[in-house]
Amino acid sequence: MKMYGYLLLLALLTTLATPALAQAHDDALSAKEVEDLRDAAFIPTQRIETYEKILDTREKTIEELLTKPRHVTFGEDMHDAMDQFGVIADEMNDNLDELNAQHRDLRKILPKLVKATERWTTLLRAPGDDDAYKVVRRIALGAIKDTHDMAVEMQATEEAYFKAHPDAEKEEKARHSDPHSPQ
């Protein structure tokens, strides 16, 4: 009977914790950004470009925090901005993994993504060390490094794949002409 009670308590705690974790990730994106991602979901290049645009808005937020005079909530604001940056970059990485496994053609946007990751890395390193955002900065930098490494690797593998499979390139072009075709 005691074991049953522990299992019930564990199930209850798991049920309560799951929405809290999901909510933390949902807070990283605004309703408009979620809508933009839904609109771009059918065309892989547009999906990744949308993530880039979202990260660029977070980049501007961090730049604004750095250029304005420091205020009492600077550490907290920088923590939140870097946390969002890391969560969104991680979500983009998941999408890159999925698109890479499906051999979707991202060759045109990958060089731009590599350059963006270099810019974002410089930005995330710009603020001085502060315990308020040290951990989330490390996480965000890790996510951006993963994005950079993945994009560099994908450039080479996609070039080789589409060279070896010319029919796959034709299929990809056909998908782009009809965004509502099955993925």
Side-chain angles (χ1 to χ4, degrees), residues 92-156:
M92 181 171 63
N93 291 344
D94 291 345
N95 279 266
L96 285 169
D97 274 339
E98 178 185 330
L99 295 170
N100 189 34
Q102 296 172 358
H103 297 291
R104 300 306 301 264
D105 190 0
L106 302 174
R107 292 175 291 173
K108 290 182 181 177
I109 64 163
L110 289 173
K112 181 182 171 196
L113 181 59
V114 169
K115 287 180 183 173
T117 60
E118 292 165 358
R119 188 181 72 244
W120 295 332
T121 298
T122 301
L123 171 78
L124 291 171
R125 290 186 175 144
D129 287 337
D130 190 324
D131 288 341
Y133 52 82
K134 181 171 59 175
V135 173
V136 292
R137 175 178 26 200
R138 192 175 321 128
I139 292 168
L141 282 167
I144 295 301
K145 182 185 181 314
D146 291 346
T147 303
H148 181 271
D149 294 348
M150 199 178 319
V152 168
E153 181 184 332
M154 285 175 69
Q155 283 179 306

Side-chain angles (χ1 to χ4, degrees), residues 19-31 33-34 58 80 83-84 87-88:
L21 287 173
Q23 183 65 33
H25 290 290
D26 289 346
D27 291 345
L29 297 171
S30 70
E33 291 167 340
V34 170
R58 296 313 183 280
D80 293 347
D83 186 39
Q84 289 178 7
V87 168
I88 295 165

Side-chain angles (χ1 to χ4, degrees), residues 4-110:
Y4 178 73
Y6 285 126
L7 289 174
L8 183 62
L9 179 63
L10 180 64
L12 179 64
L13 289 175
T14 305
T15 305
L16 293 175
T18 303
L21 287 173
Q23 183 65 33
H25 290 290
D26 289 346
D27 291 345
L29 297 171
S30 70
K32 182 183 179 337
E33 291 167 340
V34 170
E35 187 65 31
D36 290 346
L37 285 169
R38 284 185 187 139
D39 290 344
F42 294 107
I43 301 177
T45 54
Q46 288 179 0
R47 186 183 333 165
I48 299 305
E49 286 172 339
T50 302
Y51 275 109
E52 282 184 61
K53 288 176 187 172
I54 293 168
L55 287 171
D56 286 342
T57 62
R58 296 313 183 280
E59 177 183 27
K60 287 181 179 88
T61 301
I62 293 171
E63 286 173 345
E64 287 175 10
L65 286 169
L66 292 172
T67 57
K68 290 181 179 177
R70 299 261 169 128
H71 50 84
V72 177
T73 62
F74 174 81
E76 183 180 325
D77 294 343
M78 187 61 75
H79 174 278
D80 293 347
M82 287 188 178
D83 186 39
Q84 289 178 7
F85 205 99
V87 168
I88 295 165
D90 193 45
E91 184 66 31
M92 181 171 63
N93 291 344
D94 291 345
N95 279 266
L96 285 169
D97 274 339
E98 178 185 330
L99 295 170
N100 189 34
Q102 296 172 358
H103 297 291
R104 300 306 301 264
D105 190 0
L106 302 174
R107 292 175 291 173
K108 290 182 181 177
I109 64 163
L110 289 173

